Amino acid sequence: MSEKMQAIMKTKPAYGAELVEVEVPKPGPGEVLIKVLATSICGTDLHIYEWNEWAQSRIKPPQIMGHEVAGEVVEVGPGVDTLQEGDYISVETHIVCGKCYACKHNRYHVCQNTKIFGVDMNGVFAEYAIVPAKNAWKNPKNMPPEYATLQEPLGNAVDTVLAGPIAGRSTLITGAGPLGLLGIAVAKASGAYPVIVSEPSEFRRELAKKVGADYVINPFEEDPVKAVMDITNGAGVEVFLEFSGAPKALEQGLKATTPGGRVSLLGLFPREVTVDFNNLIIFKALEVHGITGRHLWETWYTVSSLIQSGKLNLDPVITHKYRGFDRFEEAFELMRAGKTGKVVFFPHKG
Ligand SMILES: NC(=O)c1ccc[n+]([C@@H]2O[C@H](COP(=O)([O-])OP(=O)(O)OC[C@H]3O[C@@H](n4cnc5c(N)ncnc54)[C@H](O)[C@@H]3O)[C@@H](O)[C@H]2O)c1
Ligand SMILES: C[C@@H](O)[C@H](N)C(=O)O
Ligand SMILES: [Zn+2]
Ligand SMILES: [Zn+2]
């Protein structure tokens, strides 16, 4: 007998999504079925919802949205010997080939054939979801689902913040959206000081303070470079972490970084950016990192341990919690308006 479930589905190639009732799927070979305990909205989901150019080129409706998740394995498909019913898991979203040059060098995070869970296939904004077993990450039973679902984006933040030494280092974070807020939490837990955050939204500057930022700056009202120089007695910051994707923030951050400092870039810019390489990078001997995805699986170990240490201040980052999906449109519109940190759904109402 088949069972039905609710799911947020991208039904049409147009703005928005629909709450639909569909059959609970059966896991195929190499897959498991999970009961979704918590699932959170990523900026990528918002792009799919808005149906921007990238989404139009990549997404093939109808498709269930969502990729950040915590869930319990309720059925195991043929050939899966790494998971069993009752396991409590999250999911690495990058499905890598294991065969390309990058994979053969253990650089799975830059696999040349990466498929993305919840982007290139059905995802987790549903009461139940199919997960490829090889991408499951087992959680300790006592980790709250609202934290466990944040591990995937936390992995992006961890790889950005911990791409070089951070303890005791002055740090500038540009952008306090959901990713930047997670970055602040990781930087503070890792001993960065002072953590200076540049963010134009007042709501998000307040969140940044709650998460632990030592100084917040509105870059539209004061010059972040001057503010950083004042705070650091003219030295500039040791570490610049870019989480905004704003070209201006990149320029300001490079100017505010001390010569010989470290720059880690996660934010994705809307277009090609122009940078004065000679004066802002080469003559300053900056160490610059591009950050993408998560190291498999080192980053997951670090994220899990940081959460279990109790040192990550995640509660202020989670601004909205919804039981069920009934109000999903409200959640997406709030996020579009920049009036949220992380938004978490608990799909089962009981
Ligand atoms: N490289 C990767 O693997 C990866 C993974 C996930 C997300 N990202 C990117 O990381 C970035 C952050 O993600 P998010 O979900 O938090 O995005 P977001 O758009 O919600 O947050 C960006 C924040 O930057 C702020 N901002 C805008 N202009 C600014 C400026 N001049 N100076 C300082 N702050 C400014 C915005 O007000 C906003 O709060 C995005 O660009 C996203 O695409 C990259
Ligand atoms: C899928 C994308 O949104 C995801 N956060 C990543 O790390 O790639
Ligand atoms: Zn994502
Ligand atoms: Zn590969």
Side-chain angles (χ1 to χ4, degrees), residues 171 173 176 180-181 184-185 187-188 192-198 204-217 313:
T171 300
I173 291 183
L181 291 167
I184 297 167
K188 288 305 293 181
Y193 185 83
V195 173
I196 306 164
V197 175
S198 175
R204 287 183 164 169
R205 283 198 306 279
E206 284 308 311
L207 285 180
K209 277 196 245 170
K210 285 187 192 153
V211 180
D214 299 295
Y215 298 89
V216 292
I217 298 163
N313 188 12

Side-chain angles (χ1 to χ4, degrees), residues 174-176 198-205 217-221 244:
T174 49
S198 175
E199 163 60 57
S201 148
E202 189 183 350
F203 173 75
R204 287 183 164 169
R205 283 198 306 279
I217 298 163
N218 179 351
F220 294 177
E221 282 182 1
S244 75

Side-chain angles (χ1 to χ4, degrees), residues 246-324:
K248 192 75 190 160
L250 174 65
E251 183 192 325
Q252 290 165 339
L254 292 173
K255 285 182 176 162
T257 307
T258 200
R262 189 251 293 191
V263 176
S264 298
L265 307 173
L266 182 87
L268 298 174
F269 301 100
R271 56 187 176 275
E272 285 183 12
V273 288
T274 305
V275 172
D276 179 355
F277 262 79
N278 294 357
N279 291 307
L280 294 185
I281 296 178
I282 299 167
F283 291 139
K284 287 182 79 171
L286 297 186
E287 180 184 334
V288 181
H289 305 261
I291 308 291
T292 184
R294 292 146 297 280
H295 286 85
L296 304 182
W297 288 81
E298 303 94 306
T299 304
W300 281 87
Y301 283 100
T302 307
V303 167
S304 181
S305 293
L306 275 170
I307 293 176
Q308 291 176 72
S309 76
K311 292 200 173 141
L312 273 188
N313 188 12
L314 294 178
D315 290 334
V317 181
I318 304 169
T319 53
H320 292 74
K321 297 180 191 177
Y322 290 93
R323 205 149 278 287

